[in-house]
Amino acid sequence: MGHTERGFSLGEVLVATLVLAIGLVGIATGFQYATSGVEIGKGETTAAFLAEQRLEWLKAIALTNWASATLKAGTTIEGYGSIADASFYRRVTTITDGPGGACTANCKLVQVTVFYRPVTGRGQLDQERRPMWSRCS
């Protein structure tokens, strides 16, 4: 009996290579989006930490010395590079005396907003981001 050996034709190999290439491009794009998502999440988490850090520091001062000059009404701006271990972030703290509402005496409203420039798979973006929240106490 005759044996006929048959392999893949050139056309079949080219089609298989094309399908594989399209799949690999899709996977590579997915990794880029995943990396960007992780970096954005890291930025948001760090911003939340920096806001909480400032609030806790101010609360500690208030507990020991309510009349401290640090708790004076006004706005404090910490620019990029001025926050330890967070050079891509800037923080704005606003303190208001007697904000009204249920509190009428010896009350302060403290609002902390953190801004940052996100780093994505394409590098650091120039557009500043501000999380959709700010921390008040």
Side-chain angles (χ1 to χ4, degrees):
M1 303 263 240
H3 255 287
T4 57
E5 291 186 32
R6 186 157 189 257
F8 294 106
S9 69
L10 181 60
E12 291 171 328
V13 171
L14 289 175
V15 168
T17 303
L18 177 66
V19 169
L20 185 61
I22 290 171
L24 290 175
V25 167
I27 290 172
T29 302
F31 276 122
Q32 182 180 4
Y33 282 116
T35 301
S36 294
V38 168
E39 287 301 321
I40 289 171
K42 179 182 173 186
E44 296 281 327
T45 301
T46 302
F49 169 77
L50 291 171
E52 291 291 338
Q53 179 187 50
R54 174 58 62 181
L55 284 173
E56 292 301 320
W57 180 71
L58 290 171
K59 284 179 188 178
I61 291 172
L63 288 173
T64 58
N65 183 6
W66 180 256
S68 170
T70 306
L71 298 173
K72 182 179 159 189
T75 300
T76 304
I77 299 172
E78 296 168 276
Y80 288 106
S82 66
I83 302 172
D85 299 324
S87 60
F88 294 117
Y89 297 83
R90 73 180 182 95
R91 186 166 47 196
V92 177
T93 304
T94 304
I95 300 175
T96 307
D97 288 335
C103 184
T104 55
N106 293 330
C107 293
K108 294 182 182 289
L109 172 67
V110 179
Q111 184 174 12
V112 179
T113 307
V114 178
F115 300 85
Y116 68 100
R117 293 189 179 112
V119 178
T120 66
R122 297 179 182 163
Q124 182 180 349
L125 301 179
D126 289 332
Q127 186 174 2
E128 184 175 68
R129 270 186 85 127
R130 184 186 97 196
M132 296 306 295
W133 48 261
S134 57
R135 301 282 188 222
C136 296
S137 183

